[in-house]
Amino acid sequence: MSLKNKILELLPVLAQDIIISFYGYKLIKQRYGDDYYQYRESILTQSAKSSAELLSEQNQLLDDFVRYAYKNSTFYHLLYEQVNFEQPITVASLAELPIVTKELLRTNLDNVYTIECRHGISSFTGGTTGKSLQVVFTKKDAQKRMAYLDAYKLSLGIDPFESKKATFSGREFTRGWATPFSNKFWRNNWSYKQRLYSTFDMTEKNLPFYVQDLNRYKPEVLNGFVSAIFQLAKFIEQKQLALTFQVKAIFTTSETLLPFHRELIEKIFKCPVYNQYASAEGAPFVTQCVAGNLHYNTDTGVIETLETDAGTEMLVTSFTTHGTPLIRYKIGDLIKFKSGECSCGSLHPLVESIDGRQVEFLISKQFGHVSLSHLADVIKGLPNCVVNVQFQQHKVDLIEVLLNVDKKLYDQKAEDKIAEALTHRFGKATQFIFKLVDNIPKESSGKFSLIKNFIK
């Protein structure tokens, strides 16, 4: 934890709220300038475009962006020495350019930047692959990304400024000596009508305080990590707690949203869950429309596919990364497209699913990769006595199953049911060891990992 955060946690809660709100005000001034409002208005007022118009627009944005990177980035200037710029760079010709891996980007980052870090807005990747990156956005691009996201929410009837928001993401402001006495695992950003809830403190003992405060606060929008909102929903269901507020929409971020997540969250909060993808690096936007379909928004970048052992992996080129250009960047996330047109009227390509990082799999000696999606039915079918679970693998033929359970209800029958479901997916060559734990720790980012593969 930084010195700034250590000092912050020693202050009274009210003082923390004031400081966080002041910082929130600074972010608003930074993110919501003239470029934001101009771009948001252009998105909201534009008419629906044909497939040909979308492709023409995408090709023009792509050509401009690649030429910008070649001219302003030392790394890309050297990388594209052999590229013929006499012809336009198009989606069809993009495959002629070299692929940029995460390691290649990381080791050349200083030469990739087109601006000094102090002149831009930095974003730090989560490091699910163990390799964090500092991506620097130009101020204009940062505002354009916020404008695109807010225009999307406005199209769903959600005003990002007027709605009261409850946000569940990786915050450490309640990690300290004051927490056990106050039982306030949240802080306020009054500037943005936002209450920030700590995901680190979401334990069985503390979750009643979360529900009580949500009932007092009555948010209109929930957003944040899938795992945190799902954990909250599962707790409410298990304890049969009543909610005295009605949420209009839930926006999940940062983690893979699986069908069993959506089913329970929508059941408990009685509102739609909207999935979205953009990444901390600044990938093109994939957003869920009012008809419930995911769309790859071609005016924000290009998504190509690459077949790997883990599945269909994305190569991303993002038009809003002028500070740290991403061109044919092997981001490590998996995607599945689907054919057809959407009833919402948009002709942006349809996406069946984004399955998350390629490291989100375990290994079966008999069947090969077992992804998080393959484990969905196991997790969905867990006995009601199971509060939380994590699957860890250190050896090919051995899976450790960490279980946080209600010990009054847990018995051998429940364990046998889980073992049977796992054997069906991993085969009889895999052994399962069950460990009962009081709590399963979150990652340093505040996220929760359902599976941890230590052998890959």
Side-chain angles (χ1 to χ4, degrees):
M1 188 187 297
S2 67
L3 178 61
K4 179 177 67 176
N5 284 340
K6 287 181 180 178
I7 294 172
L8 180 64
E9 75 169 17
L10 295 175
L11 296 173
V13 171
L14 179 59
Q16 292 184 28
D17 285 344
I18 292 170
I19 291 171
I20 289 169
S21 298
F22 177 71
Y23 179 67
Y25 175 76
K26 285 182 65 178
L27 287 180
I28 287 173
K29 300 294 286 184
Q30 185 183 73
R31 294 175 177 175
Y32 301 96
D34 290 342
D35 288 315
Y36 166 86
Y37 287 103
Q38 289 174 12
Y39 190 57
R40 193 187 78 175
E41 186 64 21
S42 71
I43 298 169
L44 290 172
T45 56
Q46 70 182 5
S47 57
K49 296 175 182 176
S50 67
S51 297
E53 288 173 325
L54 289 174
L55 180 59
S56 176
E57 177 187 42
Q58 187 182 34
N59 279 332
Q60 184 61 61
L61 290 168
L62 174 62
D63 188 56
D64 291 345
F65 183 68
V66 174
R67 290 175 190 276
Y68 172 89
Y70 176 72
K71 181 179 178 181
N72 294 279
S73 167
T74 302
F75 170 77
Y76 282 103
H77 192 84
L78 294 172
L79 190 66
Y80 295 161
E81 275 185 323
Q82 305 303 318
V83 175
N84 177 16
F85 281 99
E86 292 182 4
Q87 298 294 323
I89 305 297
T90 66
V91 174
S93 67
L94 188 57
E96 296 172 13
L97 301 183
I99 292 172
V100 176
T101 64
K102 192 176 289 283
E103 185 62 17
L104 184 61
L105 186 75
R106 186 184 67 80
T107 55
N108 291 279
L109 204 50
D110 288 340
N111 288 324
V112 174
Y113 295 143
T114 64
I115 59 173
E116 294 182 34
C117 294
R118 61 192 177 91
H119 292 149
I121 298 172
S122 292
S123 173
F124 296 86
T125 65
T128 52
T129 57
K131 298 169 183 175
S132 182
L133 294 170
Q134 181 181 359
V135 176
V136 181
F137 293 96
T138 64
K139 292 178 181 178
K140 183 174 184 176
D141 277 346
Q143 290 192 18
K144 288 181 75 172
R145 291 186 70 80
M146 287 304 304
Y148 205 93
L149 186 60
D150 286 355
Y152 161 63
K153 291 180 179 179
L154 282 164
S155 73
L156 300 172
I158 304 298
D159 189 322
F161 289 103
E162 296 303 320
S163 302
K164 288 176 68 176
K165 297 166 284 292
T167 300
F168 293 80
S169 56
R171 299 293 195 276
E172 291 192 274
F173 39 71
T174 64
R175 307 290 299 280
W177 59 269
T179 298
F181 301 100
S182 67
N183 291 322
K184 291 188 71 172
F185 306 101
W186 48 86
R187 297 294 181 265
N188 290 295
N189 176 6
W190 292 312
S191 300
Y192 193 52
K193 292 189 177 181
Q194 180 185 42
R195 184 161 289 180
L196 303 160
Y197 289 85
S198 166
T199 57
F200 292 95
D201 300 292
M202 294 181 70
T203 62
E204 186 83 358
K205 183 180 75 171
N206 295 337
L207 280 171
F209 298 108
Y210 283 76
V211 179
Q212 289 168 17
D213 187 70
L214 286 166
N215 278 331
R216 285 192 295 266
Y217 181 58
K218 302 187 185 306
E220 298 166 278
V221 174
L222 299 184
N223 54 58
F225 296 157
V226 174
S227 59
I229 298 174
F230 176 75
Q231 182 183 0
L232 180 66
K234 188 172 183 180
F235 178 80
I236 292 168
E237 180 186 51
Q238 287 180 330
K239 302 301 180 183
Q240 298 182 332
L241 302 177
L243 297 179
T244 60
F245 61 96
Q246 179 57 59
V247 178
K248 295 179 181 177
I250 297 173
F251 297 95
T252 58
T253 59
S254 300
E255 299 170 319
T256 303
L257 177 69
L258 295 170
F260 75 88
H261 289 135
R262 181 190 295 279
E263 182 181 335
L264 180 64
I265 294 171
E266 291 187 340
K267 173 186 172 184
I268 296 302
F269 291 100
K270 297 179 174 60
C271 74
V273 174
Y274 292 101
N275 197 6
Q276 56 189 314
Y277 172 86
S279 88
E281 290 102 314
F285 282 94
V286 177
T287 52
Q288 182 186 326
C289 70
V290 290
N293 288 315
L294 288 170
H295 290 269
Y296 145 43
N297 299 291
T298 57
D299 51 345
T300 65
V302 181
I303 297 177
E304 302 170 85
T305 58
L306 182 69
E307 295 303 322
T308 69
D309 290 341
T312 304
E313 192 171 340
M314 283 193 277
L315 297 178
V316 301
T317 300
S318 175
F319 301 151
T320 51
T321 57
H322 287 84
T324 314
L326 299 182
I327 303 172
R328 306 205 77 214
Y329 175 52
K330 195 170 184 285
I331 197 168
D333 291 334
L334 307 177
I335 191 168
K336 291 180 183 177
F337 285 103
K338 65 179 180 179
S339 59
E341 293 184 4
C342 184
S343 60
C344 76
S346 171
L347 292 179
H348 286 291
L350 293 172
V351 174
E352 183 177 327
S353 65
I354 296 178
D355 293 327
R357 300 285 177 178
Q358 65 175 17
V359 296
E360 288 185 330
F361 65 85
L362 300 176
I363 299 171
S364 162
K365 205 169 184 179
Q366 186 173 343
F367 301 121
H369 287 180
V370 178
S371 72
L372 182 56
S373 298
H374 295 143
L375 289 171
D377 287 339
V378 178
I379 299 163
K380 181 181 177 181
L382 287 172
N384 201 45
C385 58
V386 177
V387 177
N388 213 351
V389 63
Q390 185 178 81
F391 306 97
Q392 296 188 3
Q393 186 169 31
H394 294 270
K395 298 178 180 179
V396 175
D397 57 353
L398 179 66
I399 304 289
E400 290 185 2
V401 185
L402 274 59
L403 293 172
N404 177 216
V405 303
D406 182 338
K407 294 179 181 177
K408 295 177 183 176
L409 300 175
Y410 186 76
D411 56 17
Q412 188 61 44
K413 186 178 179 180
E415 185 173 305
D416 291 343
K417 181 181 178 182
I418 301 170
E420 182 181 356
L422 288 172
T423 301
H424 179 69
R425 282 153 185 83
F426 285 88
K428 295 182 179 180
T430 302
Q431 180 185 358
F432 304 100
I433 296 178
F434 292 85
K435 294 184 176 181
L436 300 186
V437 296
D438 293 330
N439 186 46
I440 302 174
K442 302 284 197 305
E443 303 298 307
S444 59
S445 63
K447 300 177 187 178
F448 176 78
S449 293
L450 278 165
I451 59 179
K452 292 179 75 70
N453 184 341
F454 294 97
I455 56 177
K456 298 190 193 57

